[in-house]
Amino acid sequence: MPAPLSREGIVSAAVAIADAEGLASVSLRKVAAALDAGPMRLYGYVSTKVELLDLMVDAVYGEMILAEPAPTSWRYALRSIAHGVRQAVRRHGWFIDLLGGRPHQGPNALAHLEASLAAVCGAPGFEDIDTVMQVCMTVNAYVIGAVQSEAAERLAERESGLDKKGWQIASAPYIQRMIATGRFPMIEKVVSDATHPLPDTVFDQGLECVLDGIEARLSR
């Protein structure tokens, strides 16, 4: 007797494949094999790979929906949203490849957007919906850029076999030769004086810079 199928089960299997092997490995045929089903049976639930990817994205948004917005502190709300996206990318490395374009319109994606806007709207300085939208988009742009950079670093580690510290050690002789030319005094200062904090600290400090800028703009 054929194994029972559901859209939720298909999406869950596809997410598991993407988590383990990367987004390029996801196909209807491979998902069908994971479910011990013929590929044609999947078409009764998902018609194309594009639709499957949309459903996978929406499943991840479902993990990020804020249970309770924090209307008393817009900074806390935006910080929570930012960390939710970053944690989702940590769990599902492929997710970052599907962010940054047009807004996703699945039910969970819309619920996440609704919760994000509601968490900010009505706070002092956020009475205008255009301001709410601009602020949420600005924070989102920072988060996507930051997590893309982190994802690129993790990819480089896998492909090169060197973590960031190992790569810096391997690159050090070349960098020192370039510094010795006297053409790069600021890079020399970075190498000799910068603290080079951990990724979590870098992310949080950058986010606070964005939130400080928003607060300063509102105060004007």
Side-chain angles (χ1 to χ4, degrees):
M1 184 174 180
L5 291 178
S6 68
R7 176 173 282 197
E8 292 76 16
I10 292 169
V11 173
S12 179
V15 168
I17 291 170
D19 287 348
E21 304 176 31
L23 199 59
S25 295
V26 176
S27 67
L28 292 175
R29 183 174 297 277
K30 195 159 190 174
V31 172
L35 296 172
D36 195 23
M40 294 305 297
R41 288 186 62 204
L42 266 63
Y43 287 106
Y45 302 88
V46 181
S47 58
T48 66
K49 182 177 177 179
V50 171
E51 182 182 2
L52 179 59
L53 294 178
D54 286 342
L55 292 170
M56 291 166 61
V57 167
D58 205 56
V60 177
Y61 271 110
E63 301 174 9
M64 293 191 294
I65 296 173
L66 297 176
E68 293 185 14
T72 57
S73 172
W74 63 267
R75 288 184 71 117
Y76 177 86
L78 292 176
R79 196 180 294 118
S80 297
I81 293 164
H83 281 283
V85 174
R86 184 171 184 247
Q87 290 161 10
V89 174
R90 288 280 185 89
R91 292 190 299 270
H92 310 288
W94 51 270
F95 184 60
I96 190 62
D97 294 334
L98 301 176
L99 292 179
R102 290 178 175 175
H104 295 283
Q105 297 182 342
N108 289 328
L110 292 176
H112 179 263
L113 176 59
E114 177 70 19
S116 301
L117 298 173
V120 176
C121 191
F126 291 96
E127 294 81 9
D128 180 67
I129 191 61
D130 286 338
T131 301
V132 172
M133 284 288 295
Q134 184 63 60
V135 165
C136 287
M137 289 169 59
T138 298
V139 173
N140 190 55
Y142 166 74
V143 173
I144 290 176
V147 296
Q148 281 179 334
S149 179
E150 292 176 350
E153 174 60 31
R154 289 192 292 271
L155 177 62
E157 288 182 6
R158 290 195 301 270
E159 292 183 342
S160 68
L162 293 173
D163 62 14
K164 189 171 184 177
K165 185 173 181 60
W167 172 75
Q168 289 171 339
I169 291 172
S171 303
Y174 166 74
I175 293 298
Q176 290 297 340
R177 288 197 302 272
M178 296 305 292
I179 287 173
T181 67
R183 295 168 54 202
F184 307 103
M186 294 307 302
I187 294 176
E188 181 179 13
K189 190 171 182 63
V190 168
V191 171
S192 62
D193 298 341
T195 58
H196 304 288
L198 295 174
D200 288 350
T201 302
V202 171
F203 181 85
D204 287 339
Q205 288 177 342
L207 180 58
E208 292 307 308
C209 284
V210 174
L211 298 179
D212 286 346
I214 292 169
E215 187 163 21
R217 184 177 179 85
L218 289 174
S219 68
R220 293 205 301 267

